[in-house]
Amino acid sequence: MKWNTKSLLFIACVGLAGSALFGFSKGDDRNFRIAKNLDVFNAVFKELDMFYVDTIDPEKVINYSIEAMLAQTDPYTEYYPEEDNTLKEMTSGKFGGIGSVIRYYTPRKRVAIIEPSEGSPAAEAGLQAGDIIMEINGKDMAQGDRTPNELTSYVSDNLRGDPGTTCVLKLERPTADSTYIPMELKITRGTIRTNPVPYYGMVDKNIGYIAISTFAIEGCSKDIKKALIELKQQGATSIVLDLRGNGGGLLSEAVNVVNFFVPKGKEIVVTKGKIKQAGSTYKTSNEPIDMEIPLTVLVDGATASAAEIVSGSLQDLDRAVIVGNRTYGKGLVQVPRELPYNSSMKVTTAKYYIPSGRCIQAIDYAKRNADGSVARIPDSLTTVFHTAAGREVRDGGGIRPDVEVKAERFPNIMFYLLNDDMIFDYATQYCIKHPNIGEVKDFSVTDADYDDFKQMLKKRNFTYDRQSEKSLKNLKEIAEFEGYMEGASEEFAALEKKLTHNLDHELNRFSKQIRKAIAEEIVKRHYFQRGVILERMKDDADLTKAIETLKDKEGYTKILSVPADK
């Protein structure tokens, strides 16, 4: 086998690391064990490379070993090889490309355009959701022996490139009769920046609303500040911050956003790690925009990390009422680290603690079960902390809202409708037949539209697994094995009859949720993410409750105060 320079240098580095560590006293058990195992790893790889019957790919094998090693830590500690720019893009929020969301499309075994980003080169060039990517700059984008994920990554890599370079796409675009016509588009790549504030506006006479999708972009707090100031100029006397679905990002940007509403010099976050350098204290460093304006923050199970710093800090300082559902519970801090040969990694170096002193990390990855799994910290083992006013809050399980709103049930059928691209395909056909849908506020999926959707499902013989049927089958097998079936056969038969698959029944039962998903997909084709948010706001229980809370001044004050019996 021929060794490339990179492989040789990597193994040499491993070997040198082992040799260096052997310099420590053998009495230092930890250093000895590290050196010993690195030396064993080095030897195993050399033996494998020299004697294994087939030629191995050194980068692939070693990358696999690194991933297996990191799997023993937490999901946030990750390795990025030289060719992977993910970490750089995560911390900057910028990359060179055409600006379009893509996904593997099962019916064609190709990658399809899902959504051109608003104002992107893709949108400007006329790329549309539903377009199937056939070639990029003359290279066939067929699946071949790639997995769906591998094909999607391959297409993504070919779409990206330096701003100013061109990208020639050969596409197949769906038509009204469900056939495809070939097309070719030439797109000049640009610098793509994720929009951290996809929408802001007035949701009531004097209530402003700001949707914040991420904190993972340098300077995103400036976008949020701009939205806040404009809403105040439009007459907003109270504000709703929507952090639902916000997976977090940069700690410094989160602190900046909290600073808009609290005084300069206020301690917001303290980080503590194994080494002294991992510990830091983050305080607000600017004069606030408004310390008095009433504030509610919308959160859900996908609100995480930096978004939890914002919501949790505003709760701990009694500065905002938190509305919605309990957040994800990520209280860990990651730091990017450069590695040899332009590779890098993201390492969890510390836990963070918000103003009350609590850490809201929900899972202790250091305590694994025998099978390697981990579990959330039960509420019974969490500790009580107190806000600035003395209200009780808890650690270890995310941010619990001050005003909880019952989450809407996600029906099982919806998963299959989305996963099988049924809603996506219907929206594609709808938009071909309806090139203009008018304003979002006036749009709706009519009864006739929903009947058309039902007919499409029947024509395609749409089926899905029902959990109740699966569970009943398993129960029958257990009953037969344990000898209980003979006396319960009639009951099982009656239950089986009641649980018979009935597509019409399910489509009618969950029509509200399904229509909502269809409407969002259609609106997105015309108005991008801004339109999706406007569509969701038509029937948004969390937002309705936030507005009610802001309008009830006495109730708002009471929520942020310590109960009289305390």
Side-chain angles (χ1 to χ4, degrees), residues 103-104 113 116 128 149 233 259 291 348 374 406 441 492 498 514 517 521 534 551-552:
R103 187 178 72 219
Y104 183 77
I113 300 296
Q128 295 179 7
N149 285 341
Q233 290 172 344
N259 195 174
M291 293 198 302
T348 298
V374 290
K406 187 177 180 180
K441 64 182 179 66
F492 270 106
K498 287 186 176 181
I514 297 170
E521 185 63 41
L534 285 168
K551 285 184 172 182
D552 180 5

Side-chain angles (χ1 to χ4, degrees), residues 3-4 12-13 17 88 94 98 145 165 178-179 183 259 322-323 330 352 374 379 446 488 509:
W3 286 64
N4 60 42
C13 287
K88 183 179 179 182
K94 298 178 183 179
I98 66 169
D145 58 359
T165 58
S178 298
T179 59
M183 292 187 64
N259 195 174
I322 312 302
V323 178
K330 180 176 180 287
Y352 70 76
V374 290
D379 288 348
T446 66
R509 182 184 177 192

